[in-house]
Amino acid sequence: MAKAKGARVIVTLECTLCKENRSKRSTGISRYTTQKNRRSNPGRLELKKFCTHCNKHTLHREIKK
């Protein structure tokens, strides 16, 4: 028997400032992985997380894999 898809999925969060400002100072993009409930949060996830490249708390958005 096949299992039904679970409500929880693993998503990747990416820094929005690093993505916009590709300067010489920041050499990479900060990424985090987390889980979200597909039923309670059908939209894109946005969280404030610490970016190691920007050295401050910035907005991280869910990206496609």
Side-chain angles (χ1 to χ4, degrees):
M1 289 194 184
K3 274 191 172 180
K5 269 193 174 179
R8 294 225 160 248
V9 292
I10 296 174
V11 295
T12 305
L13 304 175
E14 186 176 82
C15 179
T16 56
L17 284 181
C18 288
K19 195 174 182 180
E20 293 171 3
N21 303 331
R22 296 291 299 187
S23 65
K24 294 177 185 175
R25 185 171 162 244
S26 66
T27 57
I29 297 174
S30 174
R31 289 191 174 165
Y32 286 95
T33 57
T34 186
Q35 292 182 348
K36 79 169 188 177
N37 192 324
R38 202 181 299 163
R39 292 187 188 121
S40 64
N41 297 331
R44 292 270 171 119
L45 189 62
E46 292 183 352
L47 294 174
K48 279 195 121 179
K49 304 285 272 178
F50 183 77
C51 177
T52 54
H53 301 286
C54 300
N55 249 4
K56 56 184 173 182
H57 285 85
T58 58
L59 186 67
H60 284 65
R61 285 197 182 117
E62 180 183 338
I63 60 169
K64 287 184 179 179
K65 286 191 176 182

